[in-house]
Amino acid sequence: MEIKTVAVLGAGAVGSYIIWGLDKKVKLGVIGEGERAKRLQKGCLINDQMYYPEVWSPTEAHGVDLLIVSLKYCALKDALKSIQTIVDDHTIVMSLMNGVDSEEIIGEAIGKEHLMPSLIKIASRKENGYRFDPETTIGIIFGELQAHCQSKRVQAIVSLFENTGIHFRASEYIQEEIWSKFRLNICNNLPQAILGAGVGCYRDSEHMKFIQDGLRHELETIAHAKGIDLSKADSSSSRGSAVPASARYSTLQDLDAKRHSEIDMFSGALIKMGKELHIPTPYNEYTYHMIKALEEKNDGLFDYDQENQRNMCSK
């Protein structure tokens, strides 16, 4: 088995890492239609260099050997028809999205046999294009659910990523690895988004550490109830890519840019699991509603001062 064609659905922070690594290795295309296709045809600025992958419609991408899905959670539902169009009988699909349920959602649409469970750890920021440090990026972790690290599919992906600059590792405990990253996102990504401070807040504030520990306890309790042994995950999965204390993770980056975040994929999903398992999740419920309220604030729902000024002007 050899991977000769790769399509990337979602050319943001994660997609940029794939484009950067595979640009010269295989026939590579990004998925886009309409105005999005026109934007992508102008190129992708990554670490101050322009890249010009081919731009394919879902129909043009039909039958690629590998489809990498790197969308925001809110975009996944609308993209399922495109994914169905792209995937052929032999297509492997890797979801590098956050959370723990994107593969389940995609699998229901195309069949779970196409999926190669995977995750990515990358500290990327949008600043004059996308930027990341290739050396400190942990990269892509993947593997078969049945611990077949030497499967033909795994070996094909290993061969694809070799000598590209992409950091990668095959794992025999991929489900535990995915949940280990989920834990990082719940505990590290979310509290700082509410505070609006860099990740150094967990080191410097006992109060932030207290909140972080509460979120972690709820997640680990649910994981245990679902039979997921987080201790099996490789030790590197307990940490993210090296970042300075000033780093702002994705949820805070979204709020800074007045975008809606992926909170439904994080605490929203965990709250739902907690209800199904009758496990209370008060820390995640508070965090979920606080971030939703911050999104409403960014949307202008609480612009009362401007409303008062308009009322005064009309008198």
Side-chain angles (χ1 to χ4, degrees), residues 20-46:
W20 168 83
L22 297 184
D23 182 55
K24 304 297 183 184
K25 182 74 181 272
V26 290
K27 186 174 178 63
L28 176 70
V30 294
I31 306 301
E33 296 181 282
E35 290 300 318
R36 175 174 175 77
K38 292 179 182 179
R39 291 197 303 270
L40 289 170
Q41 286 164 355
K42 295 178 182 178
C44 304
L45 184 59
I46 305 168

Side-chain angles (χ1 to χ4, degrees), residues 82-98:
S82 294
I83 294 172
Q84 289 172 325
T85 299
I86 295 165
V87 171
D88 199 356
D89 290 342
H90 75 286
T91 303
I92 301 170
V93 179
M94 298 179 74
S95 172
L96 299 183
M97 297 174 61
N98 283 319

Side-chain angles (χ1 to χ4, degrees), residues 177-310:
E177 303 261 17
I178 289 171
W179 269 79
S180 184
K181 183 193 173 182
F182 189 43
R183 176 172 57 187
L184 278 173
N185 273 317
I186 292 286
C187 301
N188 291 11
N189 203 329
L190 303 184
Q192 72 144 183
I194 295 173
L195 187 64
V199 295
C201 64
Y202 303 118
R203 176 196 65 197
D204 297 333
S205 170
E206 63 178 292
H207 309 294
M208 290 298 291
K209 184 67 168 56
F210 183 89
I211 296 168
Q212 186 182 48
D213 289 345
L215 291 167
R216 179 184 294 106
H217 174 73
E218 290 175 3
L219 183 144
E220 291 177 347
T221 301
I222 288 172
H224 178 75
K226 292 175 74 69
I228 296 167
D229 184 356
L230 288 169
S231 68
K232 290 182 178 179
D234 187 272
S235 60
S236 67
S237 287
S238 65
R239 60 181 177 85
S241 299
V243 295
S246 60
R248 300 165 89 83
Y249 288 143
S250 62
T251 302
L252 183 51
Q253 288 182 36
D254 285 336
L255 294 177
D256 286 343
K258 298 190 182 300
R259 297 187 298 260
H260 282 202
S261 72
E262 294 183 308
I263 187 62
D264 290 298
M265 174 188 277
F266 296 142
S267 286
L270 200 68
I271 292 165
K272 181 180 177 182
M273 286 184 270
K275 288 179 179 178
E276 292 170 350
L277 295 165
H278 305 291
I279 295 172
T281 55
Y283 281 90
N284 276 277
E285 288 179 21
Y286 176 81
T287 300
Y288 175 86
H289 291 291
M290 277 298 299
I291 290 177
K292 283 290 187 180
L294 288 168
E295 292 176 355
E296 291 175 335
K297 179 182 177 183
N298 282 340
D299 290 342
L301 184 62
F302 312 131
D303 290 346
Y304 305 126
D305 291 340
Q306 294 181 20
E307 181 180 337
N308 290 336
Q309 289 176 4
R310 287 195 297 270

Side-chain angles (χ1 to χ4, degrees), residues 63-79:
V64 294
D65 298 324
L66 175 65
L67 170 64
I68 295 177
V69 181
S70 51
L71 297 166
K72 283 285 191 179
Y73 191 68
C74 60
L76 179 57
K77 183 178 179 181
D78 290 339

